[in-house]
Amino acid sequence: MDQAERLRSMIKASKESEEFQQARLITVTSGKGGVGKSNTSVNLAVQFRRMGYRVIIFDADFGLANVEVMFGAIPKYNLSDLIFRGMTLEEIMVEGPMGIRFISGGSGVAELSNLTSESVRFLASKLIQLDQMTDFLIVDTGAGIADSVLEFVKMSEEVVLVTTPEPTSIMDSYALLKALRRSEGFDPDVTEIRVMANRVIEKGDGEALYQKLKVVVDQFLDMKLSYLGSVPYDINVSKAIMQQKPISIVHKTAKASLAYEEIAEKLLNIKQEERKKKSGIGQVFQNLFHAGIRRISSKSPKDIV
């Protein structure tokens, strides 16, 4: 039995188990760096945890270490130890504040910048286990239109696209959506993309930003977008980052914290009948395998004209 067949067998066995549960996968991404993507991932994790749910963050921004920096944690191991050195998920996972666990993508780990299809299948077979280990898996991707970003967004059924009112951020968000729409294997009927506006001055600015983006997306890309909400500019966020702690922990009543709470509740309260039938983490990563990934690279491809 080859590795691909073992992967299919593992997923089938998981589905047939009476105790099998399907964790909810939410991928957080952005068209450019510096818009608060990782900060959003961490604070949503805090809010879900505060509601009583188990949360794991998968830092898929390979080669960087934003999540661990924001948690003030120094992982002893990272994803490369799982793929190349035979360690288990439990061994490489780190526990952050409030019992939130995370998997580090590694800081400056060169071997993660060029994963072969064999390595991706192995990773998929391991990540199936997360279906039983958590209620929410938050995938924090890299920024931009790198291959790794597009692949993780394509495999996800729920995507939070973080942007800011800056014209460059809106343009880069559109560039990401354009690259995604043209990417082989992307199904706009499966992936739900929700736009979150960050660092807005007035609450109405977030809705205005979304409408600007939606107009061009409707006209040129034929993709469905929805508006998730906005997080106001809050100086306390920068102060919390300097302390290497999420604003939702440092200052629960700060404007940004309350906004993250509202967004988390909105995600949580999406009516089941309004959501597409979710397939669980195991099936999602099997889909990633079937997409025929030959490698995952942290190097961005040329901009799509």
Side-chain angles (χ1 to χ4, degrees):
M1 182 184 295
D2 63 15
Q3 190 176 34
E5 185 62 32
R6 286 197 299 271
L7 173 57
R8 285 189 286 268
S9 297
M10 290 172 66
I11 293 172
K12 183 179 179 181
S14 294
K15 286 183 175 180
E16 291 175 350
S17 170
E18 292 183 0
E19 296 180 355
F20 177 70
Q21 72 167 64
Q22 295 180 344
R24 191 165 165 187
L25 172 65
I26 298 176
T27 295
V28 182
T29 192
S30 64
K32 62 175 289 187
V35 299
K37 170 184 59 61
S38 295
N39 199 45
T40 296
S41 297
V42 168
N43 279 284
L44 286 179
V46 170
Q47 296 297 343
F48 286 137
R49 187 72 189 96
R50 190 166 282 150
M51 296 173 191
Y53 294 96
R54 298 171 299 168
V55 185
I56 294 175
I57 302 176
F58 177 34
D59 188 352
D61 194 354
F62 304 135
L64 298 179
N66 289 339
V67 172
E68 59 198 66
V69 169
M70 290 183 181
F71 275 155
I74 304 177
K76 187 175 181 180
Y77 305 108
N78 57 53
L79 198 60
S80 65
D81 294 295
L82 173 75
I83 298 174
F84 303 111
R85 284 173 278 283
M87 299 189 72
T88 67
L89 277 173
E90 288 283 9
E91 288 174 328
I92 70 167
M93 269 196 286
V94 180
E95 186 166 315
M98 297 177 62
I100 298 169
R101 293 185 289 178
F102 70 93
I103 301 169
S104 172
S107 178
V109 181
E111 57 194 350
L112 287 175
S113 67
N114 190 24
L115 294 182
T116 64
S117 57
E118 185 77 5
S119 296
V120 171
R121 286 196 293 268
F122 177 77
L123 175 60
S125 71
K126 292 296 182 182
L127 292 173
I128 291 171
Q129 301 169 29
L130 295 177
D131 259 325
Q132 284 86 24
M133 297 167 65
T134 190
D135 299 308
F136 284 91
L137 173 64
I138 298 177
V139 177
D140 182 42
T141 76
I145 56 175
D147 291 344
S148 59
V149 175
L150 295 178
E151 295 301 340
F152 276 109
V153 173
K154 282 194 298 184
M155 76 178 186
S156 304
E157 294 173 321
E158 293 186 83
V159 175
V160 175
L161 175 60
V162 181
T163 188
T164 69
E166 297 176 0
T168 54
S169 180
I170 299 173
M171 290 176 61
D172 288 332
S173 293
Y174 175 75
L176 171 62
L177 294 172
K178 184 177 181 181
L180 182 64
R181 188 67 178 90
R182 296 186 176 186
S183 182
E184 183 179 359
F186 172 69
D187 187 345
D189 292 326
V190 170
T191 302
E192 179 76 22
I193 300 176
R194 302 184 176 100
V195 178
M196 193 204 88
N198 194 27
R199 300 176 194 152
V200 301
I201 303 302
E202 301 290 340
K203 193 165 186 178
D205 293 346
E207 179 72 34
L209 179 160
Y210 165 71
Q211 291 299 335
K212 288 179 183 178
L213 185 59
K214 187 175 185 300
V215 166
V216 291
V217 168
D218 287 346
Q219 184 174 357
F220 298 108
L221 301 184
D222 189 27
M223 293 172 66
K224 295 180 181 178
L225 297 181
S226 62
Y227 181 56
L228 184 59
S230 65
V231 175
Y233 172 79
D234 189 339
I235 190 63
N236 291 301
V237 173
S238 297
K239 292 178 179 178
I241 292 174
M242 293 299 293
Q243 297 177 52
Q244 293 185 269
K245 294 181 180 178
I247 180 66
S248 296
I249 291 179
V250 176
H251 197 337
K252 295 181 182 179
T253 58
K255 292 186 296 182
S257 299
L258 296 176
Y260 282 123
E261 180 181 7
E262 183 177 336
I263 289 171
E265 287 178 348
K266 186 173 181 179
L267 284 168
L268 190 63
N269 293 330
I270 294 173
K271 293 179 181 179
Q272 189 66 33
E273 60 268 22
E274 292 178 355
R275 293 179 59 218
K276 299 178 180 66
K277 186 178 179 181
K278 302 304 170 184
S279 49
I281 296 170
Q283 185 62 52
V284 161
F285 281 101
Q286 188 191 37
N287 293 342
L288 183 64
F289 156 64
H290 282 308
I293 300 173
R294 306 192 70 88
R295 71 186 182 92
I296 292 180
S297 172
S298 61
K299 183 178 181 181
S300 297
K302 293 181 180 179
D303 290 340
I304 296 177
V305 177

